[in-house]
Amino acid sequence: MPTFGGISPAASSGLAALAPHAAAGVSNSAGPVEDSQEAPTPVSLYVHVPFCVSKCAYCDFYSEAAVDPARYAQFVDAVLFEAGHWSHYDLLDDVPTIYIGGGTPTIMGDELVRLVEGLMQTVRLRPGAEVTVETNPETTDIQMVARLVEAGVNRFSIGVQSFDDSVLRTLGRCHDVAQTQRALQALRESDIPFSIDLICGVPGQTFPSWEATLEQAVASGARHASVYPLAVEPGTPLEAAVLEGRTPAPDPDVAADMMLAAEVALTVGGMPRYEVANYAQPGHEARHNLVYWTGGAYLGVGPHAASMLPYPLYEAVAAGEGWEVAAPDAAHVPARARFTREVTLAEYLRYPLRRPEPLELLTAPDAAREDVMLGLRLTAGVLASQVDAAGLGGVLQDLAEQGLVELGADDSGDLRWATTQAGWLLGNQVFGAVWAGPEGS
Ligand code: SF4
């Protein structure tokens, strides 16, 4: 059956009338509307799936729980329609990575497989592209994993969080360790690399519990791990429990010690740190996240998905869509556009192509400063020449005097600034100083 915007004509019937470009019948894999001799800009794709089995106590991500499964098909139609629409602006002609996150994408079952298959028809993937699906233990089984791999997924990221049932209960997770072990077995049998997410600094979590979790993480077969200290986000059940005294507030010193223990255990286990909170076997670093951390371009589809595009690309889309573009201002020439669509699922399903809100335009100096800040989150650090070009040499010197960053030569002999061990523990101080720039120091 011919596809239209990556979705079948029947499935897209309610949406096609909304898409002027799609209505021209442009096939999504047929390339740009106008032929261009220029190489397309690499743009990674993020899909936000806003469904979960239930809401975790600490979660402030946008997702809805206990949703009528009929919504899954509507959502997949909307995402494929949206991705197909943006593909006509040459945005998805060289896609180095796709990340389908959430939420809990695997809750959608067959519809997730249809989503992956549809995206494969909608975008032009770069050869060897990384295609990740985020999953949770309660919705991961061997058949689902096999079908996703067949559809083109070549990496999974699973929200394990802890191998201790009492910690999982405090976090309000809807799975237990037995389900986690079954899900990990399914991932191992697929022979596809996977990452696990862990949380430390949970009230009531003991050091032996955390060490046992790290041990099991290393033994799980994961090739990548993300480790975050628990944060109490406004408006979450965890915040209410802390404010009402039902749960003690997480202790940041305990969390810092647990982060240090994670660094040791994961490094010894063959996954050295490559980012402040991320560890990987060499060659298994998360390429999609590296796009975020190195100032690359990415397009988010789905409600609450974030995007960042070089400004000329954004301007072309805005012009095509009839969105207002700020009048040129010689003092603030935008270099990049960062935007989200903060809409509910219901609003998104009604019309997936809303104008970005909020929209942030970054000037070249803003972007350079942000690139240095994000680069210092990586163990590889940032080229000294890049720091100087951003006008941040003095800021980094000040941080070096406090022992938070250091200058050294990489394997090619190039000078790079990198965060020290003390700097990792005071990361907010380092990143804040860089973001504030010379005027802030
Ligand atoms: S599974 Fe993830 S997105 Fe869903 S509620 Fe829990 S933390 Fe939030």
Side-chain angles (χ1 to χ4, degrees):
M1 180 185 286
T3 59
F4 184 79
I7 41 181
S8 70
S12 66
S13 56
L15 297 168
L18 302 173
H21 293 79
V26 182
S27 159
N28 293 312
S29 48
V33 174
E34 290 173 20
D35 275 345
S36 161
Q37 297 305 311
E38 287 179 26
T41 303
V43 177
S44 285
L45 179 65
Y46 173 75
V47 179
H48 186 77
V49 178
F51 306 117
C52 287
V53 172
S54 60
K55 286 298 287 184
C56 302
Y58 59 94
C59 179
D60 72 339
F61 300 126
Y62 177 66
S63 69
E64 297 190 11
V67 169
D68 178 355
R71 287 288 208 197
Y72 303 157
Q74 295 166 4
F75 174 75
V76 170
D77 287 349
V79 165
L80 293 177
F81 170 79
E82 187 190 356
H85 185 81
W86 304 136
S87 74
H88 304 310
Y89 287 101
D90 303 356
L91 285 179
L92 298 172
D93 285 346
D94 180 19
V95 177
T97 65
I98 296 179
Y99 194 102
I100 302 176
T104 304
T106 38
I107 198 176
M108 295 197 299
D110 292 347
E111 287 302 322
L112 176 60
V113 177
R114 185 166 75 88
L115 173 62
V116 175
E117 290 170 346
L119 289 176
M120 293 298 156
Q121 295 173 23
T122 304
V123 309
R124 279 192 181 140
L125 273 187
R126 179 180 288 190
E130 177 188 272
V131 181
T132 303
V133 162
E134 198 172 340
T135 183
N136 278 313
E138 72 281 359
T139 52
T140 305
D141 63 53
I142 196 153
Q143 290 83 9
M144 163 66 53
V145 169
R147 291 179 65 205
L148 289 169
V149 171
E150 199 183 331
V153 173
N154 56 25
R155 185 175 181 273
F156 289 91
S157 177
I158 180 164
V160 167
Q161 315 312 352
S162 174
F163 285 95
D164 181 330
D165 279 335
S166 70
V167 173
L168 292 174
R169 280 193 294 275
T170 304
L171 292 171
R173 300 286 298 184
C174 65
H175 59 91
D176 60 18
V177 175
Q179 284 172 302
T180 301
Q181 297 293 14
R182 283 194 291 276
L184 290 172
Q185 181 63 25
L187 292 174
R188 278 193 294 271
E189 287 185 24
S190 76
D191 217 17
I192 293 292
F194 64 91
S195 173
I196 60 177
D197 288 354
L198 300 174
I199 296 181
C200 65
V202 180
Q205 185 181 32
T206 63
F207 251 89
S209 162
W210 179 235
E211 283 165 352
T213 281
L214 292 169
E215 208 172 290
Q216 295 206 52
V218 169
S220 71
R223 296 175 186 225
H224 184 285
S226 301
V227 184
Y228 290 97
L230 180 65
V232 180
E233 302 293 350
T236 58
L238 177 64
E239 185 201 44
V242 169
L243 290 176
E244 292 163 15
R246 288 181 280 117
T247 302
D251 182 333
D253 292 335
V254 170
D257 287 345
M258 288 183 170
M259 291 293 279
L260 279 174
E263 185 191 2
V264 173
L266 295 173
T267 303
V268 169
M271 288 188 275
R273 172 186 260 158
Y274 71 99
E275 196 265 354
V276 63
N278 286 274
Y279 301 80
Q281 292 179 3
H284 287 279
E285 296 81 6
R287 281 154 52 197
H288 186 85
N289 287 355
L290 283 166
V291 169
Y292 298 152
W293 299 324
T294 56
Y298 53 91
L299 178 72
V301 301
H304 287 244
S307 304
M308 190 166 77
L309 295 175
Y311 186 70
L313 265 186
Y314 173 78
E315 194 176 33
V317 175
E321 297 296 307
W323 298 334
E324 278 174 35
V325 181
D329 169 355
H332 297 97
V333 178
R336 292 180 190 160
R338 180 161 45 213
F339 53 94
T340 318
R341 277 185 207 84
E342 292 189 354
V343 293
T344 63
L345 173 65
E347 289 168 330
Y348 179 73
L349 293 180
R350 269 201 297 280
Y351 185 57
L353 304 178
R354 288 163 199 275
R355 58 175 299 146
E357 182 64 47
L359 166 68
E360 183 187 4
L361 300 182
L362 283 78
T363 63
D366 291 339
R369 210 165 60 240
E370 185 167 277
D371 288 351
V372 170
M373 183 182 72
L374 292 174
L376 287 171
R377 294 178 62 98
L378 300 170
T379 52
V382 192
L383 281 169
S385 55
Q386 186 183 341
V387 170
D388 292 341
L392 292 166
V395 173
L396 280 259
Q397 287 290 356
D398 288 348
L399 290 170
E401 283 165 21
Q402 299 167 55
L404 302 179
V405 298
E406 62 190 358
L407 189 61
D410 64 16
D411 292 346
S412 314
D414 293 322
L415 285 176
R416 303 182 81 95
W417 285 102
T419 303
T420 60
Q421 188 68 39
W424 293 121
L425 294 175
L426 296 172
N428 288 343
Q429 193 172 320
V430 174
F431 310 136
V434 171
W435 184 241
E439 292 80 30
S441 58

